[in-house]
Amino acid sequence: MSFSREDVRFLIEHCDQIAAAAGEIELTKKSAIADHKKLHGLFGDHTRAVMELIQARRTLAPKIGEETSSHWLADSDSAQQATPHAVAQIRAERIARAGASFVHDVTCSIGTEAHAMTESGMDYLGTDVDYTRLLMTQHNLRVRVPQSFRASGTAWVAQADALSPVTTPASCPGPHIRACSGSGPGRVIVADPARRADGRRITDPAKLIPPLPDLLDAYPGAALAIKCAPGIDYSDWHGLVSVVSVDGGVKEACLYTPDFADHHREAVVIRDGFTETVTDDGGTVDVDKPKSFIIDPDGAIVRAGLVQQWGARHGLTMLDPHIAYLSGDALPDGYSGFPFIEQVPLKKLRPALQAHGAGALEILVRGVDVNPDQLRTKLKLKGSRPMAVVIARVGDSATAFICGARVR
């Protein structure tokens, strides 16, 4: 649901009370009636909005942190599309390195880019056509995000259509219009078009909301960073495509104009304790028989088409030149893999697994028409040993690589 202006003002006024009440409800299908009754006793006619906010905050928590999300305002849709703070930081650092001093976020929604941009020393203007989103953004800008937050830029919000520019390359908002200094692009336009319609993911850039071609036409010659779903066709994009994952989940493909990098493809892997960036100017790898471990590359690396470059960096080989599984004598730091045991034709998988006493089984498949859940049922394993099987098309044959359980 979307909030009315009255809803947002009520939520702001009762923000701390709602945060306290959130710990007293479960928000499950089973608890729905009891939850509604409890909240109605506290918030009356605004109960529906309060329940929506609590659910949205739970969606936001993994993205911006539990403590911060407990004080932010968001509805379900904005929480679903909100950018994780770790991803926003990567973008802000890139934009700042390019020499930008001012970021205009033309689809700011609830403001998840703002803190990272101002922390990186840039001024920030967030605009959106939805006035209730702007009310939420104003509130959210006053909430500190990470413990290390040190804002050095200034942030404003205003109502505007993303396709009707309200800034120019040489202007910044605020009490006085001033030139954006620096040797870089000065003003950078950030956009996050809606990627879903009627509950379905949009994969055609021309059908994003607003459409990608329309955004490009609205800001000719501007330095742009446009967030898109990782599954879109970006083959015709002439700038940088940066595919980003967090803890193994691919979050976005950000399209940057050539102002920001000399390379054209990169994968940014953000995991607990480290960040790795892989670009398309790396090397290639050989195809060889399996070594000590079989490794499934991070989804960002696969989506960016940089499996060989990543493999070359870590001294790995490929099982097949067309399939994104790698092998090596050691696991790259920060990644998981499977201790290799033996390779068998797919049709001989069941007796081979039975011989190893396999029980619980993790199944990975690429290049072969196999449904892991259906295969697991069909195998009817009765052993007790946790194992894994990697199924891939090697040459013209469907091959199963039997492995021990995943290790990190």
Side-chain angles (χ1 to χ4, degrees):
M1 63 168 275
S2 296
F3 295 143
S4 66
R5 297 185 186 187
E6 181 185 358
D7 286 333
V8 174
R9 293 188 178 103
F10 179 89
L11 297 174
I12 292 172
E13 183 179 348
H14 295 82
C15 193
D16 291 339
Q17 188 181 1
I18 294 169
E24 303 298 322
I25 64 172
E26 298 179 23
L27 276 189
T28 63
K29 289 183 178 180
K30 185 177 180 180
S31 68
I33 295 176
D35 290 341
H36 188 278
K37 182 179 180 180
K38 183 176 293 184
L39 291 176
H40 191 271
L42 295 170
F43 304 109
D45 293 341
H46 292 279
T47 297
R48 186 172 67 101
V50 171
M51 292 186 73
E52 173 95 359
L53 173 60
I54 293 173
Q55 184 61 64
R57 283 175 170 174
R58 293 183 182 182
T59 301
L60 277 176
K63 300 181 177 184
I64 64 174
E66 186 90 31
E67 182 177 353
T68 301
S69 64
S70 66
H71 294 88
W72 266 47
L73 296 183
D75 55 24
S76 292
D77 288 344
S78 61
Q80 288 288 340
Q81 191 162 335
T83 301
H85 185 66
V87 178
Q89 283 182 307
I90 293 292
R91 186 175 5 268
E93 290 166 3
R94 179 188 299 282
I95 292 173
R97 284 197 306 268
S101 54
F102 167 53
V103 172
H104 180 189
D105 184 352
V106 298
T107 54
C108 73
S109 186
I110 57 172
T112 48
E113 297 282 333
H115 287 294
M117 298 299 176
T118 55
E119 181 183 0
S120 296
M122 297 174 289
D123 289 339
Y124 171 91
L125 171 66
T127 59
D128 203 288
V129 294
D130 189 332
Y131 186 76
T132 60
R133 292 277 177 90
L134 295 174
L135 291 176
M136 290 190 280
T137 301
Q138 283 184 317
H139 170 85
N140 294 342
L141 287 176
R142 294 191 289 269
V143 180
R144 292 175 60 162
V145 180
Q147 292 181 352
S148 62
F149 176 73
R150 300 183 303 277
S152 55
T154 305
W156 299 268
V157 297
Q159 189 172 24
D161 189 318
L163 299 181
S164 300
V166 295
T167 59
T168 66
S171 68
C172 293
H176 306 285
I177 298 297
R178 61 179 178 82
C180 291
S181 60
S183 58
R187 179 194 68 164
V188 173
I189 303 298
V190 172
D192 189 5
R195 307 167 199 169
R196 288 183 177 273
D198 300 324
R200 296 183 179 182
R201 188 175 294 279
I202 299 171
T203 57
D204 182 352
K207 294 181 180 179
L208 296 172
I209 307 169
L212 178 58
D214 294 355
L215 276 170
L216 299 179
D217 289 344
Y219 300 94
L224 294 162
I226 304 175
K227 296 177 279 182
C228 297
I232 73 163
D233 180 6
Y234 47 72
S235 56
D236 292 333
W237 185 255
H238 297 298
L240 168 66
V241 179
S242 178
V243 184
V244 186
S245 69
V246 178
D247 295 330
V250 183
K251 300 302 179 182
E252 66 175 42
C254 189
L255 312 184
Y256 293 92
T257 46
D259 312 76
F260 297 99
D262 294 328
H263 53 278
H264 298 289
R265 295 288 182 273
E266 73 175 19
V268 182
V269 179
I270 303 172
R271 298 196 177 202
D272 186 24
F274 81 98
T275 298
E276 182 179 31
T277 300
V278 184
T279 66
D280 55 4
D281 52 9
T284 57
V285 298
D286 294 329
V287 176
D288 202 352
K289 62 183 180 180
K291 295 182 172 59
S292 300
F293 294 93
I294 291 179
I295 301 153
D296 182 22
D298 186 274
I301 294 167
V302 177
R303 292 289 186 101
L306 301 175
V307 172
Q308 292 208 23
Q309 289 85 343
W310 183 74
R313 171 180 293 187
H314 295 287
L316 306 176
T317 58
M318 297 188 73
L319 301 179
D320 181 274
H322 307 294
I323 301 296
Y325 288 127
L326 297 165
S327 184
D329 289 325
L331 295 175
D333 290 343
Y335 293 89
S336 65
F338 306 93
F340 173 67
I341 297 174
E342 70 168 315
Q343 173 180 338
V344 299
L346 181 58
K347 62 184 179 181
K348 295 184 178 181
L349 176 60
R350 186 168 184 264
L353 287 172
Q354 289 176 327
H356 289 291
L361 188 68
E362 182 175 355
I363 302 174
L364 284 76
V365 180
R366 281 202 179 103
V368 180
D369 185 16
V370 171
N371 181 295
D373 292 332
Q374 292 177 1
L375 176 61
R376 189 177 289 105
T377 301
K378 184 178 179 180
L379 290 171
K380 298 179 180 178
L381 299 175
K382 301 184 183 300
S384 59
R385 182 181 178 184
M387 298 188 72
V389 61
V390 176
I391 299 172
R393 184 163 297 282
V394 177
D396 296 327
S397 302
T399 302
F401 299 88
I402 297 174
C403 304
R406 184 189 293 267
V407 295
R408 300 184 183 277

Coordinates of all heavy atoms in Angstrom, one line a residue, residues 282-339:
G282 N 41.1 -8.3 -17.1 CA 41.9 -9.3 -16.5 C 42.3 -10.4 -17.6 O 42.1 -10.2 -18.8
G283 N 42.8 -11.5 -17.1 CA 43.3 -12.6 -18.0 C 42.2 -13.6 -18.3 O 41.1 -13.4 -18.0
T284 N 42.7 -14.7 -18.8 CA 41.8 -15.9 -19.1 C 42.4 -17.1 -18.4 O 43.5 -17.1 -17.9 CB 41.7 -16.1 -20.6 OG1 43.0 -16.3 -21.2 CG2 41.1 -14.9 -21.3
V285 N 41.6 -18.2 -18.4 CA 42.0 -19.4 -17.7 C 41.9 -20.6 -18.7 O 41.3 -20.6 -19.7 CB 41.1 -19.7 -16.5 CG1 41.2 -18.5 -15.5 CG2 39.6 -19.9 -16.9
D286 N 42.6 -21.7 -18.3 CA 42.6 -22.9 -19.0 C 41.4 -23.8 -18.6 O 40.9 -23.6 -17.5 CB 43.9 -23.7 -18.8 CG 45.1 -23.0 -19.3 OD1 45.0 -22.2 -20.3 OD2 46.2 -23.1 -18.7
V287 N 41.1 -24.7 -19.5 CA 40.1 -25.7 -19.2 C 40.9 -27.0 -18.8 O 41.8 -27.4 -19.5 CB 39.2 -26.0 -20.4 CG1 38.2 -27.2 -20.1 CG2 38.4 -24.8 -20.8
D288 N 40.5 -27.6 -17.6 CA 41.3 -28.7 -17.1 C 40.4 -29.6 -16.3 O 39.2 -29.2 -16.0 CB 42.4 -28.2 -16.3 CG 43.6 -29.2 -16.1 OD1 43.4 -30.3 -16.6 OD2 44.6 -28.8 -15.6
K289 N 40.9 -30.8 -15.9 CA 40.2 -31.7 -15.1 C 40.0 -31.1 -13.7 O 40.8 -30.2 -13.3 CB 40.9 -33.0 -15.0 CG 42.3 -32.9 -14.4 CD 42.9 -34.3 -14.4 CE 44.4 -34.2 -13.8 NZ 45.0 -35.5 -13.9
P290 N 39.0 -31.6 -12.9 CA 38.8 -31.0 -11.6 C 40.0 -31.2 -10.7 O 40.7 -32.2 -10.7 CB 37.6 -31.8 -11.0 CG 37.0 -32.4 -12.3 CD 38.1 -32.6 -13.3
K291 N 40.2 -30.1 -9.9 CA 41.3 -30.2 -8.9 C 40.7 -30.4 -7.5 O 39.6 -31.1 -7.4 CB 42.1 -28.9 -8.9 CG 42.8 -28.7 -10.3 CD 43.7 -27.4 -10.3 CE 44.5 -27.4 -11.5 NZ 43.8 -27.4 -12.8
S292 N 41.3 -29.9 -6.4 CA 40.9 -30.3 -5.1 C 39.5 -29.8 -4.8 O 38.7 -30.4 -4.0 CB 41.9 -29.7 -4.0 OG 43.1 -30.3 -4.3
F293 N 39.1 -28.6 -5.3 CA 37.8 -28.0 -5.0 C 37.1 -27.5 -6.3 O 37.8 -27.1 -7.3 CB 38.0 -26.7 -4.2 CG 38.6 -27.0 -2.8 CD1 39.9 -27.0 -2.5 CD2 37.7 -27.3 -1.8 CE1 40.4 -27.2 -1.3 CE2 38.2 -27.6 -0.5 CZ 39.5 -27.5 -0.2
I294 N 35.8 -27.6 -6.3 CA 35.0 -27.0 -7.3 C 34.3 -25.8 -6.8 O 33.8 -25.8 -5.6 CB 33.9 -28.1 -7.9 CG1 34.6 -29.2 -8.6 CG2 32.9 -27.4 -8.8 CD1 33.7 -30.2 -9.2
I295 N 34.3 -24.7 -7.5 CA 33.9 -23.4 -7.0 C 32.9 -22.8 -7.9 O 33.0 -22.8 -9.2 CB 35.1 -22.5 -6.9 CG1 36.2 -23.1 -6.0 CG2 34.7 -21.1 -6.4 CD1 37.6 -22.7 -6.3
D296 N 31.8 -22.4 -7.3 CA 30.7 -21.7 -8.0 C 30.9 -20.2 -7.8 O 30.8 -19.7 -6.7 CB 29.4 -22.1 -7.5 CG 28.2 -21.5 -8.2 OD1 28.3 -21.0 -9.3 OD2 27.1 -21.4 -7.6
P297 N 31.3 -19.4 -8.9 CA 31.6 -18.0 -8.7 C 30.4 -17.2 -8.2 O 29.2 -17.6 -8.4 CB 32.0 -17.5 -10.1 CG 32.3 -18.8 -10.8 CD 31.5 -19.9 -10.3
D298 N 30.7 -16.1 -7.5 CA 29.6 -15.2 -7.0 C 28.7 -14.8 -8.2 O 29.2 -14.6 -9.3 CB 30.2 -14.0 -6.4 CG 29.2 -13.1 -5.8 OD1 28.6 -12.3 -6.5 OD2 28.9 -13.2 -4.6
G299 N 27.4 -14.6 -7.9 CA 26.5 -14.3 -9.0 C 26.8 -13.0 -9.7 O 26.6 -12.9 -10.9
A300 N 27.4 -12.0 -9.1 CA 27.8 -10.8 -9.7 C 28.9 -11.1 -10.8 O 28.9 -10.5 -11.9 CB 28.3 -9.8 -8.7
I301 N 29.8 -12.0 -10.5 CA 30.8 -12.3 -11.5 C 30.2 -13.0 -12.7 O 30.6 -12.7 -13.8 CB 31.9 -13.2 -10.8 CG1 32.6 -12.4 -9.7 CG2 32.9 -13.8 -11.8 CD1 33.4 -13.2 -8.7
V302 N 29.3 -13.9 -12.4 CA 28.6 -14.6 -13.5 C 27.8 -13.7 -14.4 O 27.9 -13.6 -15.6 CB 27.8 -15.8 -13.0 CG1 27.0 -16.4 -14.1 CG2 28.6 -16.8 -12.2
R303 N 27.0 -12.8 -13.7 CA 26.1 -11.9 -14.5 C 27.0 -10.9 -15.3 O 26.5 -10.4 -16.4 CB 25.2 -11.1 -13.5 CG 24.2 -11.9 -12.8 CD 23.1 -12.4 -13.7 NE 22.0 -13.0 -13.0 CZ 20.8 -12.5 -12.7 NH1 20.6 -11.2 -13.0 NH2 19.9 -13.1 -12.1
A304 N 28.1 -10.5 -14.8 CA 29.0 -9.5 -15.5 C 29.8 -10.2 -16.6 O 30.5 -9.5 -17.4 CB 29.9 -8.8 -14.5
G305 N 29.7 -11.5 -16.7 CA 30.5 -12.2 -17.7 C 32.0 -12.2 -17.5 O 32.8 -12.2 -18.4
L306 N 32.4 -12.3 -16.2 CA 33.8 -12.1 -15.8 C 34.3 -13.4 -15.1 O 35.2 -13.3 -14.3 CB 34.0 -10.9 -15.0 CG 33.6 -9.6 -15.6 CD1 33.7 -8.4 -14.6 CD2 34.4 -9.3 -16.8
V307 N 33.8 -14.5 -15.4 CA 34.2 -15.7 -14.7 C 35.7 -16.0 -15.0 O 36.5 -16.4 -14.1 CB 33.3 -16.9 -15.2 CG1 33.9 -18.2 -14.6 CG2 31.9 -16.7 -14.7
Q308 N 36.1 -15.9 -16.3 CA 37.5 -16.2 -16.6 C 38.5 -15.2 -15.9 O 39.5 -15.6 -15.4 CB 37.7 -16.2 -18.1 CG 37.0 -17.4 -18.8 CD 37.7 -17.8 -20.1 OE1 38.9 -17.5 -20.3 NE2 37.0 -18.4 -21.0
Q309 N 38.1 -13.9 -15.9 CA 38.9 -12.9 -15.3 C 39.1 -13.2 -13.8 O 40.2 -13.0 -13.3 CB 38.4 -11.5 -15.6 CG 38.5 -11.0 -17.0 CD 37.4 -11.5 -17.9 OE1 36.6 -12.5 -17.6 NE2 37.2 -10.9 -19.0
W310 N 38.0 -13.5 -13.1 CA 38.1 -13.8 -11.7 C 38.9 -15.1 -11.5 O 39.7 -15.2 -10.6 CB 36.7 -14.0 -11.2 CG 36.7 -14.3 -9.7 CD1 36.9 -13.4 -8.7 CD2 36.4 -15.5 -9.0 NE1 36.8 -14.0 -7.4 CE2 36.5 -15.3 -7.6 CE3 36.1 -16.8 -9.5 CZ2 36.2 -16.3 -6.7 CZ3 35.9 -17.8 -8.5 CH2 35.9 -17.5 -7.2
G311 N 38.7 -16.1 -12.3 CA 39.5 -17.3 -12.2 C 41.0 -17.1 -12.4 O 41.8 -17.7 -11.7
A312 N 41.3 -16.3 -13.4 CA 42.7 -16.0 -13.6 C 43.4 -15.3 -12.4 O 44.5 -15.5 -12.0 CB 42.9 -15.1 -14.8
R313 N 42.6 -14.4 -11.8 CA 43.1 -13.7 -10.6 C 43.5 -14.7 -9.5 O 44.4 -14.5 -8.7 CB 42.1 -12.7 -10.1 CG 42.4 -12.1 -8.7 CD 41.4 -11.1 -8.3 NE 41.3 -9.9 -9.2 CZ 40.6 -8.8 -8.9 NH1 39.8 -8.8 -7.8 NH2 40.5 -7.8 -9.8
H314 N 42.7 -15.7 -9.3 CA 42.9 -16.7 -8.2 C 43.5 -18.0 -8.6 O 43.5 -18.9 -7.8 CB 41.5 -16.9 -7.5 CG 40.9 -15.7 -6.9 ND1 41.4 -15.1 -5.7 CD2 39.9 -14.9 -7.3 CE1 40.7 -14.1 -5.4 NE2 39.8 -13.9 -6.3
G315 N 44.1 -18.1 -9.8 CA 44.8 -19.3 -10.2 C 43.9 -20.5 -10.4 O 44.3 -21.6 -10.1
L316 N 42.7 -20.3 -10.9 CA 41.7 -21.4 -11.1 C 41.7 -21.8 -12.5 O 42.2 -21.1 -13.4 CB 40.3 -20.9 -10.6 CG 40.3 -20.4 -9.2 CD1 38.9 -19.9 -8.9 CD2 40.7 -21.4 -8.2
T317 N 41.0 -23.0 -12.8 CA 40.7 -23.4 -14.1 C 39.3 -23.7 -14.3 O 38.5 -23.7 -13.3 CB 41.5 -24.8 -14.4 OG1 41.1 -25.7 -13.4 CG2 43.0 -24.6 -14.3
M318 N 38.8 -23.8 -15.5 CA 37.4 -24.1 -15.8 C 37.2 -25.6 -16.1 O 38.0 -26.2 -16.6 CB 36.9 -23.2 -17.0 CG 37.0 -21.7 -16.7 SD 36.2 -20.7 -18.0 CE 34.5 -21.0 -17.6
L319 N 36.0 -26.0 -15.7 CA 35.6 -27.4 -16.1 C 35.2 -27.5 -17.5 O 35.3 -28.6 -18.1 CB 34.4 -27.9 -15.2 CG 34.7 -27.8 -13.7 CD1 33.5 -28.3 -12.9 CD2 35.9 -28.7 -13.3
D320 N 34.6 -26.4 -18.1 CA 34.2 -26.4 -19.5 C 34.3 -24.9 -19.9 O 33.9 -24.0 -19.1 CB 32.8 -26.9 -19.6 CG 32.3 -26.9 -21.1 OD1 31.8 -25.9 -21.5 OD2 32.5 -27.9 -21.8
P321 N 34.7 -24.6 -21.1 CA 34.8 -23.2 -21.5 C 33.5 -22.4 -21.5 O 33.5 -21.2 -21.5 CB 35.4 -23.2 -22.9 CG 35.1 -24.6 -23.4 CD 35.1 -25.5 -22.2
H322 N 32.4 -23.1 -21.5 CA 31.1 -22.4 -21.6 C 30.3 -22.5 -20.4 O 29.1 -22.0 -20.3 CB 30.3 -23.1 -22.8 CG 31.0 -23.1 -24.1 ND1 31.4 -22.0 -24.8 CD2 31.5 -24.2 -24.8 CE1 32.0 -22.3 -25.9 NE2 32.1 -23.6 -25.9
I323 N 30.8 -23.1 -19.3 CA 30.0 -23.3 -18.1 C 30.8 -22.6 -16.9 O 32.0 -22.8 -16.8 CB 29.8 -24.8 -17.8 CG1 29.0 -25.5 -18.9 CG2 29.0 -25.0 -16.5 CD1 27.6 -25.0 -19.1
A324 N 30.1 -21.9 -16.1 CA 30.7 -21.0 -15.1 C 31.0 -21.8 -13.8 O 30.6 -21.3 -12.7 CB 29.8 -19.8 -14.8
Y325 N 31.7 -22.9 -13.9 CA 32.2 -23.6 -12.7 C 33.7 -23.6 -12.8 O 34.2 -23.9 -13.9 CB 31.6 -25.0 -12.6 CG 30.2 -25.1 -12.2 CD1 29.2 -25.8 -12.9 CD2 29.7 -24.4 -11.1 CE1 27.9 -25.8 -12.6 CE2 28.4 -24.4 -10.7 CZ 27.5 -25.2 -11.5 OH 26.1 -25.2 -11.1
L326 N 34.4 -23.4 -11.7 CA 35.8 -23.3 -11.7 C 36.4 -24.4 -10.7 O 35.6 -24.9 -9.9 CB 36.3 -21.9 -11.3 CG 35.9 -20.8 -12.3 CD1 36.1 -19.5 -11.6 CD2 36.7 -20.9 -13.5
S327 N 37.7 -24.6 -10.8 CA 38.3 -25.6 -10.0 C 39.7 -25.1 -9.6 O 40.3 -24.4 -10.3 CB 38.4 -26.9 -10.7 OG 38.9 -27.9 -9.8
G328 N 40.1 -25.5 -8.4 CA 41.4 -25.1 -7.9 C 41.9 -26.0 -6.8 O 41.1 -26.7 -6.2
D329 N 43.2 -25.8 -6.4 CA 43.7 -26.6 -5.3 C 43.5 -25.9 -4.0 O 43.7 -26.5 -2.9 CB 45.3 -26.8 -5.5 CG 45.6 -27.7 -6.7 OD1 44.8 -28.7 -6.8 OD2 46.5 -27.5 -7.4
A330 N 43.0 -24.7 -4.0 CA 42.6 -24.0 -2.8 C 41.5 -23.0 -3.1 O 41.3 -22.6 -4.2 CB 43.8 -23.2 -2.2
L331 N 40.7 -22.7 -2.0 CA 39.6 -21.8 -2.2 C 40.1 -20.4 -2.1 O 40.9 -20.0 -1.2 CB 38.5 -22.0 -1.1 CG 37.8 -23.4 -1.1 CD1 36.9 -23.5 0.1 CD2 37.0 -23.5 -2.4
P332 N 39.6 -19.5 -3.0 CA 40.0 -18.1 -2.8 C 39.5 -17.5 -1.4 O 38.4 -17.9 -1.0 CB 39.2 -17.4 -3.9 CG 39.0 -18.5 -5.0 CD 38.8 -19.7 -4.2
D333 N 40.2 -16.7 -0.8 CA 39.8 -16.1 0.5 C 38.5 -15.5 0.4 O 38.2 -14.7 -0.5 CB 40.9 -15.1 1.0 CG 42.2 -15.7 1.4 OD1 42.2 -16.9 1.6 OD2 43.2 -15.0 1.4
G334 N 37.6 -15.8 1.4 CA 36.3 -15.2 1.4 C 35.2 -16.0 0.7 O 34.0 -15.6 0.7
Y335 N 35.6 -17.0 -0.1 CA 34.6 -17.7 -0.9 C 34.5 -19.2 -0.4 O 35.3 -19.7 0.3 CB 35.0 -17.7 -2.4 CG 35.0 -16.4 -3.0 CD1 36.1 -15.5 -2.9 CD2 33.8 -15.9 -3.6 CE1 36.1 -14.3 -3.5 CE2 33.8 -14.6 -4.2 CZ 34.9 -13.8 -4.1 OH 34.9 -12.6 -4.7
S336 N 33.4 -19.8 -0.8 CA 33.1 -21.2 -0.5 C 33.3 -22.1 -1.7 O 33.4 -21.6 -2.8 CB 31.7 -21.4 0.1 OG 30.7 -21.1 -0.9
G337 N 33.4 -23.4 -1.4 CA 33.5 -24.3 -2.5 C 33.2 -25.7 -2.0 O 32.9 -26.0 -0.9
F338 N 33.5 -26.7 -2.9 CA 33.1 -28.1 -2.6 C 34.3 -29.0 -2.8 O 34.9 -29.0 -3.9 CB 32.0 -28.6 -3.5 CG 30.8 -27.7 -3.5 CD1 30.6 -26.7 -4.4 CD2 29.8 -27.9 -2.5 CE1 29.5 -25.8 -4.3 CE2 28.7 -27.1 -2.4 CZ 28.5 -26.0 -3.4
P339 N 34.7 -29.8 -1.8 CA 35.8 -30.7 -2.0 C 35.5 -31.8 -3.0 O 34.5 -32.5 -2.9 CB 36.0 -31.3 -0.6 CG 35.3 -30.4 0.3 CD 34.2 -29.8 -0.4

